[in-house]
Amino acid sequence: MVDSSARNFRYSELDADNQRNKQVIVRLTSQNEPLSLTEVLFIAFGVVMTLIMMCFMISSNISATNAQRNLFEIQKDIATVQNKNTNLRQEIGELTSANRMNKLAKQYGLQLIESNIRNIR
């Protein structure tokens, strides 16, 4: 196959006449084959896909960081509102306490009539 990127080796056999047993010496010479168009296209495609995936990873990392920051801000706002609600409930409890109601009634000259009170369960 002509498009192969495998090295082509040229073999040359040399006889050693001076020895009792003939030995065959093989010399290998390698030549670099140029890349074919298909191989260049595959390499280019791989490089382009790698760059696209790098951009995608960076973009998703930025998106995740932004979402995490937004979540932190929302959690902070929720904590603030919960603290305000707790403070308001405590204030409601203090303002509606029986001792405070009796004190205000006494201050304005009101009195408690037990026969007018009905307990509902």
Side-chain angles (χ1 to χ4, degrees):
M1 178 179 252
V2 177
D3 290 343
S4 175
S5 63
R7 294 180 176 177
N8 292 329
F9 291 105
R10 294 185 187 172
Y11 298 98
S12 62
E13 295 182 9
L14 300 174
D15 291 332
D17 293 331
N18 295 338
Q19 297 179 0
R20 286 188 300 179
N21 297 331
K22 286 191 172 183
Q23 293 180 348
V24 177
I25 299 173
V26 178
R27 273 197 194 153
L28 300 176
T29 58
S30 65
Q31 295 176 347
N32 292 334
E33 287 289 321
L35 295 175
S36 68
L37 179 63
T38 306
E39 293 168 339
V40 171
L41 289 177
F42 276 129
I43 292 171
F45 178 74
V47 169
V48 169
M49 288 304 294
T50 302
L51 291 175
I52 288 172
M53 293 301 288
M54 285 174 31
C55 291
F56 177 73
M57 291 296 291
I58 291 170
S59 173
S60 63
N61 192 3
I62 290 171
S63 297
T65 303
N66 287 338
Q68 198 171 24
R69 189 189 63 212
N70 289 340
L71 176 64
F72 177 74
E73 291 293 326
I74 290 171
Q75 287 176 339
K76 186 177 77 169
D77 293 343
I78 288 172
T80 302
V81 170
Q82 286 176 341
N83 286 339
K84 286 181 183 179
N85 286 343
T86 303
N87 291 341
L88 290 174
R89 283 190 184 111
Q90 184 177 359
E91 188 176 345
I92 287 171
E94 290 172 359
L95 292 175
T96 58
S97 68
N99 290 338
R100 184 176 181 277
M101 292 292 181
N102 289 336
K103 186 196 276 185
L104 287 174
K106 191 175 186 181
Q107 181 180 353
Y108 291 108
L110 302 173
Q111 55 179 306
L112 181 64
I113 302 172
E114 294 288 332
S115 62
N116 292 339
I117 298 176
R118 185 186 320 178
N119 290 332
I120 300 174
R121 293 182 189 195

